[in-house]
Amino acid sequence: MSAAPTLDFGLGETADMIRETTSRFAADKIEPLSKKIDEEDWFPTELWPQMGELGLHGITVEEEWGGLGLGYLEHCVAVEEVSRASASVGLSYGAHSNLCVNQIRRWGNDEQKAKYLPGLISGEHVGSLAMSEAAAGSDVVGMKLKAEAVQGGYILNGTKFWITNAAYADTLVVYGKTGEGSGGITAFLIEKDMPGFSIGQKIDKVGMRGSPTAELVFNDCEVPDENVMGPVNGGVGVLMSGLDYERAVLAAIQLGIMQACLDTVLPYVRERKQFGQPIGSFQLMQAKVADMYVALNSARAYVYAVARACDAGLTTRFDAAGSILLASENAVKVALEAVQALGGAGYTKDWPVERYMRDAKLLDIGAGTNEIRRMLIGRELIGAA
């Protein structure tokens, strides 16, 4: 239950039902594991089939393919509630359900959907997406992973880096170079047991611990023609079209973190006493809480509006970037204020706010840095002027 009153954004009966179901599951099944997940950098694979039973992995997938046939708004609500209990689970869930499942739903052919979606939607399988490389982050089109055409398929050589869910993924959407420049990239569906594919270095992160991040290694990896997803040399279109939805959905992680901050801070300032009275009675503390609440709801309004635009086919690239820019920066500020509100207690491992602070920082960087987001927004607006 929320420690604060919440504004009714009028998201609709279906979104409210998704929130209620996901919130109850997250409170009962995810939140009790959140401390262990963080401290041990542990990925709780047993949650995946349980989330599959609730339909959470296939929210945006049409019913004919085993999904719920709902939209990005409902998906954002689910990510928000999962992330409220554990942002690292929220990140892995977003990578699975949006970056992998939703891309297969959007770009896979009927045979690919029939082969890969059932296991991913049920939670029997874990999904991942691999764009970035050690030397190709913001400049993702500068990737070097080479996909050489051979009889019956392709041979992949190279590496991917910073890949969420990598070590546990059964199915991965991977982008490789099949030609020169931006017109020479193709998307492939990779299975974990394909010859020549392996997991390399595992990355130890400051935050989002328990959401596994690793390197992918391709050493003469054999990929059949039927595992090409989308048009050959059309991978940039696949990649870029998915980024708008990725940014909108992953922005909801930050909403969950901010709500978790308020869930912790409000009871604390009501009960903690100094100078003979609750610290929440002091105007400076009231101002701090007010700023946290406004930061959360302003980000919610933008993220929900962009998600609705995605569902209506009306979103813009700069608004998708803008929603995650606002949510990410607000979440970092709110998490820092949560630590400050708890004082010395907030700087210990006894309280979860230090974890919220570490987790919040990731999306200032991941899914396109805030610098790239600002550049994209400014360029698009000036170009449209």
Side-chain angles (χ1 to χ4, degrees), residues 14-315:
T14 302
D16 290 344
M17 180 186 67
I18 291 288
R19 187 185 299 279
E20 181 182 351
T21 301
T22 310
S23 177
R24 186 166 54 247
F25 173 81
D28 291 346
K29 301 295 185 180
I30 302 177
E31 198 281 330
L33 302 176
S34 60
K35 187 175 178 66
K36 173 183 169 71
I37 289 169
D38 178 66
E39 290 182 345
E40 299 180 13
D41 199 10
W42 168 60
F43 181 56
T45 52
E46 66 263 33
L47 293 175
W48 249 237
Q50 297 175 50
M51 294 168 75
E53 289 178 10
L54 295 177
L56 296 180
H57 297 313
I59 288 177
T60 59
V61 178
E62 293 81 0
E63 292 182 34
E64 65 179 294
W65 298 110
L68 297 183
L70 301 176
Y72 295 104
L73 177 63
E74 289 81 11
H75 201 178
C76 283
V77 167
V79 169
E80 178 181 349
E81 291 302 324
V82 169
S83 302
R84 181 178 172 185
S86 169
S88 64
V89 175
L91 177 62
S92 283
Y93 166 55
H96 170 93
S97 59
N98 180 263
L99 278 66
C100 182
V101 172
N102 194 59
Q103 281 292 72
I104 295 174
R105 168 241 160 193
R106 295 179 65 241
W107 288 97
N109 58 38
D110 286 354
E111 290 75 18
Q112 291 166 343
K113 291 177 183 178
K115 181 177 182 179
Y116 294 108
L117 287 181
L120 291 166
I121 290 173
S122 71
E124 178 186 354
H125 292 164
V126 175
S128 178
L129 177 140
M131 295 187 294
S132 298
E133 299 178 4
S138 296
D139 179 21
V140 70
V141 175
M143 66 180 66
K144 302 296 184 184
L145 176 68
K146 185 177 181 181
E148 181 182 0
V150 295
Q151 183 67 33
Y154 292 81
I155 300 295
L156 272 60
N157 280 287
T159 61
K160 292 289 180 181
F161 211 64
W162 312 113
I163 308 306
T164 302
N165 294 349
Y168 294 86
D170 301 275
T171 305
L172 306 94
V173 176
V174 176
Y175 296 91
K177 295 287 286 187
T178 46
E180 298 299 322
S182 61
I185 292 174
T186 302
F188 298 91
L189 290 167
I190 303 298
E191 300 169 23
K192 67 176 181 179
D193 296 326
M194 282 182 169
F197 172 66
S198 62
I199 303 300
Q201 174 186 350
K202 296 180 181 179
I203 301 165
D204 189 14
K205 306 188 301 297
V206 169
M208 294 294 190
R209 297 174 58 77
S211 178
T213 309
E215 176 187 31
L216 308 181
V217 178
F218 297 86
N219 185 11
D220 290 334
C221 177
E222 304 170 10
V223 182
D225 280 328
E226 57 262 31
N227 281 55
V228 172
M229 189 177 75
V232 174
N233 293 327
V236 166
V238 177
L239 186 158
M240 292 301 181
S241 70
L243 276 177
D244 294 342
Y245 305 117
E246 173 187 341
R247 286 167 170 153
V249 170
L250 294 187
I253 294 172
Q254 304 298 73
L255 305 182
I257 291 174
M258 286 187 274
Q259 183 63 66
C261 287
L262 280 170
D263 292 343
T264 303
V265 167
L266 287 172
Y268 185 88
V269 301
R270 290 166 182 158
E271 298 168 9
R272 168 74 169 167
K273 290 186 177 181
Q274 290 289 278
F275 307 105
Q277 55 188 313
I279 62 173
S281 66
F282 302 135
Q283 289 181 344
L284 279 175
M285 191 59 71
Q286 292 167 5
K288 191 180 299 295
V289 168
D291 287 345
M292 294 170 67
Y293 178 77
V294 171
L296 167 58
N297 275 343
S298 59
R300 270 184 174 141
Y302 201 1
V303 172
Y304 295 162
V306 168
R308 280 173 154 156
C310 288
D311 290 331
L314 299 173
T315 192

Side-chain angles (χ1 to χ4, degrees), residues 354-365:
E354 61 82 28
R355 166 163 53 93
Y356 303 155
M357 177 180 65
R358 290 184 284 108
D359 289 348
K361 186 60 185 174
L362 183 276
L363 283 176
D364 275 354
I365 301 165

